[in-house]
Amino acid sequence: MSKRRPSIGVFDSGFGGLTVLKALLEVIAGADFIYFGDTARLPYGSKSVDTVGAQLLVIACNTATALALDRITAATHVPVIGVVEPGADSAAAVSKNKRIVVIGTEATVSSQAYSKALAARGMQATEKACPLLVPLVEEGWVEHPVTKQVAGIYLGEAFQGEFEDADVLVLGCTHYPLLKPLLQSVAPAHVTIVDSAESTARAVARRMRALLPQVDDGEDERRAQARLKFFATDSVEKFQRLGQRFLGRSIEGVQHVDLKE
Amino acid sequence: MSKRRPSIGVFDSGFGGLTVLKALLEVIAGADFIYFGDTARLPYGSKSVDTVGAQLLVIACNTATALALDRITAATHVPVIGVVEPGADSAAAVSKNKRIVVIGTEATVSSQAYSKALAARGMQATEKACPLLVPLVEEGWVEHPVTKQVAGIYLGEAFQGEFEDADVLVLGCTHYPLLKPLLQSVAPAHVTIVDSAESTARAVARRMRALLPQVDDGEDERRAQARLKFFATDSVEKFQRLGQRFLGRSIEGVQHVDLKE
């Protein structure tokens, strides 16, 4: 039986993907996680994953998954998991009336990646761009009355017409899990929220079990302790300060990388 | 007397600088304006200005002025005017009690460019980052109750302590002129708003008169008609759609440029 620790690369364009890392830490014990907050240079950066020896790469950003998953998959030699397919799987499993509302950034919504993934599962989806939610989360206003109003306006526009009784709301942006309680309070009462960060973490756990069958063996405490490394191309100070709200724990030892070299 | 038409390059990282172009069109007749909505590649792009023969370059973005004016000035052969110094001049001319509030993006505020420029004019300034205002303007919510609440919160935090009776509010971001009526309604009644776009336009007009003494000659109608060219590195469709709100007129013939080549 191999004693090799699972090693997972997590990629994002900033710190939003830390909500995916948080979900991963809850379902996968004793792995090495290498997080790249790699502002907008994902395909380039994927070479870094090969060099740090990750056995699997998670694209922990909806926009990057929607726009660049194929290119990233082609550029690396390990399995790559994005957030859209797992999110669509969960939404399809939960929905009873097969009508689903997806919220995300403008770029994610324009790509229609979720609509296509959900259509392939027999679901009908409407996608709503919510460009103010990311800056509101970054401002720290996750329980603020202004945010509640803004979310109310966006969800009001999404849950209407033939989607008035949609029964699933997919959080198609890794910033949105911080707004989950607020969104639950604003969405129609019958709606189930699907967080693609959680869905992705479960998909990664399944994949890692297949890759490394010993992951579930409960070997010892050394294994149970996750190890985290962070690389940021932007301001390290900002990454640490904002990032801890996303990860739900303090962030230390962020290394700055300059991918222009 | 030279018959040469004035030719002015206007640089921004997107379409915010179109408020500066709008102000320029109001004070300078019959010039050629070449607008570069050049997402984040300003120093590189300044070479383009040489190739299109602009006689003067306006850095129509507060963040770019604050962070890169020196580098841009060094990289080009024509006079360069940013928005910070003209804005500081106007603010210093208007203020009676020498206490000034500046609002802008996080990067502009962090640079303290306005505080330094105002201190050099004997003014005391406080700078307040307002990261939600740009996305609110881009969402088109320029008269929206949510925007009014957000602006009220920001200005309430800025106009306090020794700045409670500050008598000037400087709009240190080229998106903010679209919020001028809303900000005027939210700011304390005694406050005068200084729009650095307008101040910059007047500074450019003075400089162009010095460079090209015929500008004020009122030659003929051919001269009075401004000519506009637009180059965008981002989505042309988005530039046209959002840009017309900033320029106050329709935008046509935007050329896409790829500066990566």
Side-chain angles (χ1 to χ4, degrees):
Chain A
M1 188 173 75
S2 161
K3 296 251 181 194
R4 192 173 171 197
R5 283 172 66 93
S7 172
I8 300 170
V10 182
F11 264 58
D12 181 34
S13 52
F15 35 78
L18 291 169
T19 59
V20 178
L21 179 55
K22 183 185 180 197
L24 285 165
L25 288 169
E26 283 162 15
V27 296
I28 301 177
D32 293 335
F33 293 98
I34 309 104
Y35 186 93
F36 292 84
D38 176 332
T39 315
R41 284 173 197 274
L42 284 161
Y44 194 176
S46 60
K47 286 172 196 159
S48 322
V49 166
D50 291 343
T51 68
V52 297
Q55 295 143 354
L56 184 142
L57 175 57
V58 183
I59 306 304
C61 170
N62 287 270
T63 305
T65 300
L67 301 180
L69 184 63
D70 293 347
R71 263 187 300 151
I72 296 167
T73 304
T76 187
H77 303 293
V78 299
V80 178
I81 293 184
V83 288
V84 172
E85 296 288 319
D89 276 338
S90 297
V94 167
S95 179
K96 292 192 179 84
N97 66 13
K98 303 184 187 228
R99 279 199 292 286
I100 291 169
V101 168
V102 181
I103 55 175
T105 66
E106 242 174 278
T108 300
V109 166
S110 298
S111 77
Q112 299 188 293
Y114 273 102
S115 294
K116 289 171 200 160
L118 287 163
R121 290 159 176 82
M123 304 287 127
Q124 214 186 336
T126 184
E127 298 188 61
K128 170 75 185 161
C130 302
L132 289 167
L133 296 187
V134 166
L136 284 164
V137 168
E138 296 196 355
E139 188 68 307
W141 291 12
V142 296
E143 294 173 339
H144 198 288
V146 161
T147 310
K148 201 162 178 172
Q149 275 181 73
V150 171
I153 292 167
Y154 284 146
L155 295 190
E157 287 167 7
F159 285 89
Q160 66 174 2
E162 53 177 332
F163 289 94
E164 195 177 345
D165 66 345
D167 62 356
V168 171
L169 171 64
V170 176
L171 308 187
C173 171
T174 55
H175 278 64
Y176 298 173
L178 280 82
L179 299 174
K180 199 173 169 183
L182 183 145
L183 291 166
Q184 190 73 69
S185 76
V186 168
H190 64 278
V191 168
T192 302
I193 291 182
V194 165
D195 174 355
S196 56
E198 288 172 6
S199 314
T200 301
R202 289 193 298 269
V204 171
R206 281 195 298 276
R207 190 65 175 263
M208 288 306 291
R209 277 195 289 273
L211 286 173
L212 302 172
Q214 84 283 16
V215 167
D216 263 353
D217 285 353
E219 195 187 291
D220 55 30
E221 280 165 26
R222 185 189 57 79
R223 279 266 311 284
Q225 193 76 26
R227 282 197 300 240
L228 305 175
K229 275 188 201 163
F230 301 96
F231 297 91
T233 48
D234 231 355
S235 157
V236 164
E237 185 276 327
K238 190 179 174 192
F239 185 90
Q240 288 180 319
R241 178 167 44 86
L242 288 182
Q244 58 193 9
R245 286 196 239 132
F246 289 72
L247 189 59
R249 60 166 81 179
S250 69
I251 293 180
E252 274 146 39
V254 180
Q255 291 181 51
H256 186 262
V257 281
D258 189 350
L259 290 175
K260 281 178 216 143
E261 307 297 305
Chain B
M1 188 174 73
S2 159
K3 297 251 183 195
R4 190 170 174 202
R5 283 172 65 93
S7 172
I8 300 170
V10 182
F11 263 58
D12 183 33
S13 53
F15 35 79
L18 292 168
T19 58
V20 178
L21 179 55
K22 183 185 180 197
L24 285 164
L25 289 167
E26 283 162 16
V27 296
I28 300 177
D32 293 335
F33 292 98
I34 308 104
Y35 186 93
F36 293 83
D38 175 329
T39 313
R41 282 172 200 273
L42 285 160
Y44 194 178
S46 60
K47 287 172 197 160
S48 323
V49 166
D50 291 344
T51 69
V52 297
Q55 295 142 355
L56 185 141
L57 174 57
V58 183
I59 306 305
C61 170
N62 287 270
T63 305
T65 300
L67 301 181
L69 183 63
D70 293 347
R71 262 188 300 150
I72 296 167
T73 304
T76 186
H77 302 292
V78 298
V80 177
I81 293 183
V83 288
V84 173
E85 296 288 320
D89 276 338
S90 297
V94 166
S95 179
K96 292 192 179 85
N97 65 14
K98 305 187 185 226
R99 279 200 291 286
I100 291 169
V101 169
V102 181
I103 55 174
T105 65
E106 243 173 276
T108 299
V109 166
S110 298
S111 77
Q112 300 188 292
Y114 273 103
S115 295
K116 289 171 200 160
L118 287 164
R121 290 157 176 83
M123 304 286 126
Q124 216 185 334
T126 185
E127 298 188 60
K128 171 73 186 163
C130 302
L132 289 167
L133 297 186
V134 166
L136 284 163
V137 168
E138 296 196 355
E139 189 68 307
W141 292 11
V142 297
E143 294 173 341
H144 198 287
V146 161
T147 310
K148 201 161 178 173
Q149 274 182 74
V150 171
I153 292 168
Y154 284 145
L155 295 190
E157 287 167 6
F159 285 89
Q160 66 173 4
E162 53 178 333
F163 290 94
E164 194 177 345
D165 65 346
D167 62 355
V168 171
L169 172 64
V170 176
L171 308 187
C173 172
T174 55
H175 278 63
Y176 298 173
L178 280 81
L179 299 175
K180 199 173 169 183
L182 183 146
L183 291 167
Q184 191 74 67
S185 78
V186 168
H190 64 279
V191 167
T192 302
I193 291 182
V194 165
D195 174 356
S196 57
E198 288 172 7
S199 314
T200 301
R202 289 194 298 270
V204 171
R206 281 194 299 276
R207 190 64 175 263
M208 288 305 292
R209 279 196 288 272
L211 286 172
L212 302 173
Q214 84 282 18
V215 169
D216 264 353
D217 285 352
E219 195 186 294
D220 56 29
E221 280 165 25
R222 184 188 59 79
R223 279 266 310 284
Q225 193 75 26
R227 284 199 297 240
L228 304 175
K229 275 187 199 164
F230 301 95
F231 297 90
T233 48
D234 232 355
S235 156
V236 164
E237 185 276 326
K238 189 180 174 190
F239 185 90
Q240 288 180 319
R241 178 167 45 85
L242 287 183
Q244 58 193 10
R245 286 197 241 134
F246 288 73
L247 189 60
R249 60 166 82 180
S250 69
I251 293 179
E252 273 148 39
V254 180
Q255 291 180 49
H256 186 262
V257 281
D258 189 349
L259 291 174
K260 280 178 219 145
E261 305 300 302

